[in-house]
């Protein structure tokens, strides 16, 4: 798979006054002639096909959605112990799109109620995915304590990705590598700060020095302003990591693990 654009999308489940989620902080790396360019300060209204396609066309009109890699700060899988039988992850995303709680489509209580339904028949289930065990990460699906921010962002992602009647994207490593793009990768900024930037803290000045030292990309004028916002810093780390891992030919490296079709995987783990 050859990509022309890498979108780094930081998660947010934060709700605006009108009851809908806030725009997603986004950064991108795109090919301009023989040079890769990193651009920040982008805003994605939602994770629908129309919204993502419009952003891609805004960045580079000649680029297609199919040549896009999306590095998304969101959980893209469900522990096999609670995964509904004969269902795919996209089926669950479509269920999330139809779901509401007390008349609300988004927010903490709605996300909590949505994920709780998978635990009703199996309260003793193991809620950590295999990749989370390796990463020593908390489960987004544990109700006590409820991972508020990550869970809200994940529910929001599922709901918007499931808004189309037909699946318009491919998910790594769930789908066949020969599947059509755009491709979506579950990627965590905190992990990639450590793995790629080589920083144990999310320090904007460290990221600035790192990006200035990289010959792989040219920095767009928006990068300097983006460094003043922690969410855009995360988005830029995601986008740049996508390009770097693609150049290293490990973006599609399949982990040796069971239940990938249900649980998914965290990129780089």
């Amino acid at each position: 798979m050859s990509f022309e654009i890498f979108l780094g999308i930081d998660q947010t489940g934060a709700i605006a006054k009108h009851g809908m989620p806030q725009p997603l902080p986004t950064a991108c790396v795109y090919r301009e002639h023989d040079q890769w360019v990193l651009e920040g300060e982008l805003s994605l209204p939602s994770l629908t096909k129309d919204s993502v396609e419009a952003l891609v066309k805004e960045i580079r009109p000649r680029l297609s959605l199919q040549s896009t890699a999306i590095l998304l700060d969101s959980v893209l899988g469900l522990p096999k112990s609670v995964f509904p039988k004969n269902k795919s992850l996209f089926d669950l995303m479509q269920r999330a799109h139809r779901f509401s709680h007390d008349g609300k489509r988004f927010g903490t209580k709605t996300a909590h109620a949505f994920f709780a339904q998978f635990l009703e028949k199996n309260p003793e289930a193991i809620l950590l995915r295999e990749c989370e065990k390796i990463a020593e990460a908390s489960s987004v699906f544990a109700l006590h304590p409820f991972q508020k921010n990550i869970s809200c962002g994940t529910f929001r992602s599922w709901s918007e990705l499931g808004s189309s009647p037909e699946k318009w994207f491919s998910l790594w490593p769930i789908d066949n590598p020969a599947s059509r793009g755009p491709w979506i990768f579950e990627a965590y900024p905190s992990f990639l700060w450590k793995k790629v930037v080589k920083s144990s803290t999310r320090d904007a000045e460290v990221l600035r020095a790192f990006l200035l030292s990289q010959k792989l990309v040219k920095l767009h004028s928006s990068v300097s302003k983006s460094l003043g916002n922690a969410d855009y810093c995360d988005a830029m780390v995601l986008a740049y990591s996508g390009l770097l891992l693609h150049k290293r030919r490990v973006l599609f490296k399949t982990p040796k693990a069971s239940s990938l079709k249900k649980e998914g995987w965290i990129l780089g783990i």
Side-chain angles (χ1 to χ4, degrees):
M1 174 64 67
S2 177
F3 294 115
E4 295 286 332
I5 187 167
F6 296 84
L7 291 179
I9 303 175
D10 193 41
Q11 68 88 16
T12 177
I15 304 300
K17 291 182 180 180
H18 52 64
M20 297 300 285
Q22 301 276 19
L24 292 154
T26 304
C28 74
V29 174
Y30 57 87
R31 189 195 296 274
E32 188 174 60
H33 307 300
D34 295 327
Q35 176 74 59
W36 289 97
V37 178
L38 171 63
E39 182 174 350
E41 281 289 307
L42 298 170
S43 181
L44 184 66
S46 67
L47 276 168
T48 62
K49 179 182 179 182
D50 289 346
S51 184
V52 175
E53 191 166 35
L55 180 61
V56 169
K57 293 298 183 185
E58 178 185 328
I59 297 166
R60 297 295 290 168
R62 70 174 182 82
L63 297 181
S64 71
L65 190 59
Q66 284 68 42
S67 63
T68 302
I70 300 170
L71 287 90
L72 180 63
D73 180 15
S74 175
V75 177
L76 298 174
L78 193 68
K80 63 180 180 180
S81 59
V82 297
F83 206 104
K85 293 182 179 179
N86 303 317
K87 296 292 182 181
S88 68
L89 185 59
F90 186 64
D91 291 331
L92 303 188
M93 289 176 172
Q94 290 185 309
R95 184 190 295 189
H97 181 65
R98 298 188 297 267
F99 190 84
S100 65
H101 180 70
D102 290 339
K104 296 181 179 180
R105 292 184 53 210
F106 299 98
T108 302
K109 292 181 179 179
T110 303
H112 185 286
F114 177 77
F115 292 125
Q117 67 182 316
F118 299 107
L119 311 178
E120 292 175 351
K121 296 181 180 180
N122 194 0
E124 303 301 321
I126 297 174
L127 299 181
L128 284 172
R129 297 179 296 157
E130 192 169 346
C131 56
E132 290 164 345
K133 293 177 185 177
I134 296 172
E136 298 182 348
S138 299
S139 172
V140 67
F141 306 105
L143 300 183
H144 304 287
F146 187 57
Q147 303 293 309
K148 180 180 175 182
N149 293 336
I150 302 174
S151 299
C152 288
T154 292
F155 174 75
R156 181 253 179 96
S157 298
W158 287 24
S159 176
E160 292 179 339
L161 288 172
S163 62
S164 298
E166 295 183 357
K167 190 177 171 191
W168 55 274
F169 54 86
S170 296
L171 286 169
W172 175 89
I174 294 173
D175 292 317
N176 188 303
S179 299
R180 193 179 185 190
W183 275 88
I184 301 179
F185 300 82
E186 177 179 342
Y188 291 177
S190 56
F191 176 74
L192 293 172
W193 273 87
K194 297 174 184 177
K195 184 180 180 70
V196 175
V197 184
K198 307 300 182 185
S199 175
S200 58
T201 61
R202 292 150 97 167
D203 188 313
E205 290 307 312
V206 171
L207 180 58
R208 183 194 303 274
F210 171 79
L211 292 175
L212 288 172
S213 71
Q214 302 302 297
K215 297 180 179 179
L216 189 56
V217 293
K218 174 184 176 182
L219 303 185
H220 188 274
S221 59
S222 60
V223 169
S224 180
K225 185 178 179 181
S226 297
L227 287 165
N229 182 297
D231 295 334
Y232 280 114
C233 285
D234 283 352
M236 288 191 293
V237 168
L238 290 172
Y240 180 79
S241 297
L243 171 64
L244 185 64
L245 295 175
H246 183 55
K247 288 289 187 180
R248 293 177 179 174
R249 300 182 183 276
V250 294
L251 195 60
F252 279 93
K253 185 177 180 180
T254 303
K256 296 179 180 180
S258 58
S259 301
L260 288 178
K261 299 294 183 184
K262 297 179 178 179
E263 293 199 349
W265 201 262
I266 301 169
L267 186 66
I269 298 294

